[in-house]
Amino acid sequence: MESITKSRLLDIKKCLFISLCLLMTDLICNANNITVTNVVLSEPDTTAKTADITFTVTWENSWRVSASPSNWDAAWVFLKFQNVSTGNWEHLSINTSALANSIDDGDSTYPNPKLDINNDSGTGYGHGMFVYSDGSVDLNGDVSYNVSMAWDYEEDGVISNDELNIRVYAIEMVYVPSGAFHLGSGGNETAHFYKYDDGSNTSDTYQVLSENTISIEATKDSLFYDNGGEIADRGDAAVGIPVTIPANFPKGYSSFYCMKYEVTQGEYVNFINTLTDSQKANRLEDDYNKPSTRNSISVVDGELYSSVPHVPFGRLQWADLVAYFDWMALRPITELEYEKLCRGIAAPVTGEFPWGTNQVSSEVYYSDVINLINDLGSETEALDESIIDTSNATEGNANYESVSGDEDGNVLRVGTYASYTNSIRASSGATYYGIMNIAGNMRELWITIGNTTGRSFTGQHGNGKIDTDGNADVLNWPGNDAIGTGLRGTSFKENGTLMRTSNRFSASKTFSIRSNYVSGRAGRTAN
């Protein structure tokens, strides 16, 4: 499916509206295989208080399918501007009017691209836009879309003679359609979800049929799970004490988007590079290149740069992740949405992994990955980081403790297994909808249904702004203490049992510290 190549973030340096002096400088952001190029800011219309911004978004191996799973990948595009007089980076508002924005298919062979902008402000402005094929034809190939938008710059407190820097960002996302799905596989995974019967049978799966309230209780046909007495790690379900998942808690029935990959080094340093010194102090360790991680970050022209931008950023804590999510105007994803994006609408397979079978390869794929990468002569070679192809139709691939020739293993670049020739869902380790690296590489943090704080989450999106200390400040998101979150999946250093889609071994475990093994990804409710 995906092959990982270099992406770019275009930086318009010192755009003086009066003289329209545009000094174009390429600033490499290296996220995945998505690029933003040809950024142009027009001369402002000082009567209408608008200025046109145009750019091109390109990525490889895009898809849209009309048959099951009936979904597509997309680019989440958002913009930041810096007023040179203050030095601070701010989020740029996007007019939702169809008359203010346009898109064409550029050099793509696939026609009819679409812009999807939500009225996030409630007053006609969005915090970003989804760019994707509108479905007139099935799609499987490289795409390049030209976007034009009219910026109402006074909405963002800018006047016509301000000197500005503007940056355009793009993140690869995957659309998860609305529809009923099952919680639990019918197996015996730790603390798995099931439909309660008489207390002796835990193999009936529970079907989510809407976004209505769900009661977790030990009564016939209700959702339940057995925490084995480990309330803190697995949740507060108890016989005789029902709890409710509210209607506004995102359950996965309604459509949403999910990041295609874990947070990468290239993405995270782009975030850090827009922060003030006080914000950076809370969002980045002093020793961010710890030898135990694969972080390879240096300072180039006063900003952070990663030489392995396609590799997950090591040692992110919950507070770091949600600050980044808020800054992107996205949101955390719930553990119910997690089971939906893994299993999809398919019938459950007992003990299944996210790729839809209950088998996983344990053959050693790689060894001494850190020295391998350090010995490579160029970034291009690092992007070609490869592992032994052990793919087949049933044994899925994931980076966990059994597949490294090293004692400790290490994190691999995102999308590693999709680089196989003729890769399929199992061999690429992809979910039902084509989302990558959910099972292994890094354990990930999700919103839990296992305690009151988690169940209070309403799915509100970030607004592109974080507080002066560098923290997320969105209503009803779990705080920096990470209460209300939990872990799913496994890491390169941990066992494969944790990768099973319905394993909830640590689904409510409060994990607030930085770790070599933990990361996450964001999502967004679809319009």
Side-chain angles (χ1 to χ4, degrees), residues 81-90 163 165 273-276:
F81 71 93
Q82 181 190 50
N83 196 318
V84 174
S85 64
T86 66
N88 295 329
W89 286 95
E90 305 288 347
E163 189 177 1
N165 297 322
N273 286 334
T274 66
L275 304 186
T276 65

Side-chain angles (χ1 to χ4, degrees), residues 33-272:
N33 62 336
I34 193 164
T35 66
V36 179
T37 56
N38 304 325
V39 180
V40 176
L41 176 65
S42 74
E43 185 174 354
D45 181 334
T46 55
T47 301
K49 307 299 183 184
T50 62
D52 291 336
I53 301 174
T54 60
F55 52 88
T56 301
V57 183
T58 303
W59 71 98
E60 298 176 353
N61 302 310
S62 180
W63 82 86
R64 177 161 189 149
V65 290
S66 54
S68 183
S70 304
N71 79 318
W72 57 84
D73 71 343
W76 172 246
V77 177
F78 58 100
L79 297 87
K80 303 283 181 177
F81 71 93
Q82 181 190 50
N83 196 318
V84 174
S85 64
T86 66
N88 295 329
W89 286 95
E90 305 288 347
H91 203 78
L92 190 147
S93 301
I94 302 173
N95 193 322
T96 60
S97 170
L99 299 177
N101 308 289
S102 65
I103 185 170
D104 65 59
D105 53 14
D107 296 328
S108 174
T109 58
Y110 298 97
N112 302 319
K114 182 176 181 179
L115 288 180
D116 197 348
I117 307 169
N118 187 55
N119 183 13
D120 295 310
S121 68
T123 58
Y125 293 92
H127 300 318
M129 61 179 75
F130 283 108
V131 178
Y132 58 94
S133 166
D134 77 348
S136 57
V137 294
D138 279 5
L139 161 65
N140 184 14
D142 302 345
V143 294
S144 182
Y145 299 137
N146 298 324
V147 178
S148 177
M149 54 171 283
W151 178 28
D152 296 341
Y153 53 83
E154 278 199 337
E155 176 71 16
D156 290 324
V158 173
I159 60 177
S160 298
N161 62 347
D162 280 342
E163 189 177 1
L164 305 174
N165 297 322
I166 293 179
R167 291 180 175 177
V168 184
Y169 301 84
I171 303 291
E172 287 184 83
M173 307 283 285
V174 175
Y175 176 72
V176 178
S178 63
F181 69 101
H182 292 266
L183 294 172
S185 75
N188 60 0
E189 300 92 335
T190 301
H192 65 276
F193 292 124
Y194 63 91
K195 184 172 70 173
Y196 194 87
D197 187 5
D198 59 4
S200 62
N201 176 23
T202 67
S203 62
D204 289 339
T205 62
Y206 181 90
Q207 192 170 25
V208 178
L209 298 172
S210 73
E211 289 288 344
N212 293 337
T213 60
I214 295 176
S215 181
I216 303 174
E217 58 180 316
T219 59
K220 187 172 177 58
D221 296 335
S222 293
L223 176 65
F224 202 67
Y225 59 91
D226 298 318
N227 58 32
E230 300 290 340
I231 295 174
D233 286 356
R234 297 165 194 169
D236 56 10
V239 174
I241 308 176
V243 297
T244 299
I245 304 174
N248 58 3
F249 180 93
K251 300 171 188 66
Y253 179 86
S254 295
S255 56
F256 63 98
Y257 284 89
C258 175
M259 286 173 62
K260 192 179 291 184
Y261 309 106
E262 302 136 315
V263 176
T264 65
Q265 292 181 37
E267 292 166 351
Y268 196 72
V269 297
N270 287 339
F271 163 56
I272 294 296

Side-chain angles (χ1 to χ4, degrees), residues 373-486:
I373 298 306
N374 289 343
D375 288 343
L376 292 173
S378 71
E379 184 179 289
T380 300
E381 290 177 287
L383 290 167
D384 291 335
E385 174 184 330
S386 60
I387 56 177
I388 299 169
D389 185 352
T390 62
S391 59
N392 60 58
T394 58
E395 285 192 351
N397 283 318
N399 184 18
Y400 69 111
E401 65 177 1
S402 296
V403 301
S404 170
D406 303 335
E407 179 180 352
D408 294 327
N410 215 295
V411 67
L412 298 175
R413 67 171 175 84
V414 297
T416 299
Y417 305 107
S419 62
Y420 292 149
T421 302
N422 300 319
S423 182
I424 59 174
R425 179 182 171 189
S427 63
S428 62
T431 74
Y432 183 83
Y433 296 106
I435 298 165
M436 308 300 295
N437 300 112
I438 283 285
N441 218 27
M442 304 282 273
R443 295 188 83 181
E444 297 186 36
L445 286 160
W446 312 82
I447 303 292
T448 185
I449 54 86
N451 58 45
T452 301
T453 303
R455 292 189 294 269
S456 298
F457 178 69
T458 62
Q460 183 172 333
H461 298 141
N463 63 0
K465 304 173 183 178
I466 57 177
D467 71 19
T468 55
D469 292 323
N471 298 316
D473 55 1
V474 185
L475 185 67
N476 292 326
W477 284 18
N480 287 354
D481 59 9
I483 296 172
T485 70

